[in-house]
Each structure stands twice: as C-alpha cells, then as structure tokens.
Amino acid sequence: MDFDPDHDPLLDDDEVVDFLLYREMERESARPPRGGCLGAVLLLLLPPAGLVLLGVLR
C-alpha cells in the first residue's frame, strides 16, 4: 500500500497512526479463521452418542 498524503484520515486524525492501524486490520483479515469446526462436531455428536449410551446401559 502506498502512502497518499491527499487522502482523508480513515481511522484517526494522525496519518501515520491511520496507516499503521490500516495495515494491522489487513493483517488480521488475512488470517484464516480458527476453531469452530471441532466445537460444531462435538455439539452435533455428543447428544446422540449420549442417548445411545443411555440406551445401552438400561
């Protein structure tokens, strides 16, 4: 990203802080999402597994 002195500040009045915050936001958005899949699988599998286990124990 090139520094353009004619732009309006996006996030802060200081252009240097604005540039650094923008770069950090780009870096954060480029990261792949973490987690969630294992939690969803456990949420979907534990109740039926528990019901099956209770049925076997009776």
Side-chain angles (χ1 to χ4, degrees), residues 4 22-23 34 36 44-45 47 51 57:
D4 183 15
Y22 182 75
R23 283 185 55 199
R34 291 187 251 170
L44 292 174
L45 292 180
L51 291 174
L57 292 178

Side-chain angles (χ1 to χ4, degrees), residues 13-45:
D13 291 333
D14 187 9
E15 292 178 357
V16 175
V17 173
D18 193 31
F19 180 73
L20 293 173
L21 288 173
Y22 182 75
R23 283 185 55 199
E24 183 66 26
M25 286 171 42
E26 280 184 336
R27 194 176 314 141
E28 288 287 327
S29 66
R31 290 184 184 161
R34 291 187 251 170
C37 186
L38 180 61
V41 169
L42 289 176
L43 184 65
L44 292 174
L45 292 180

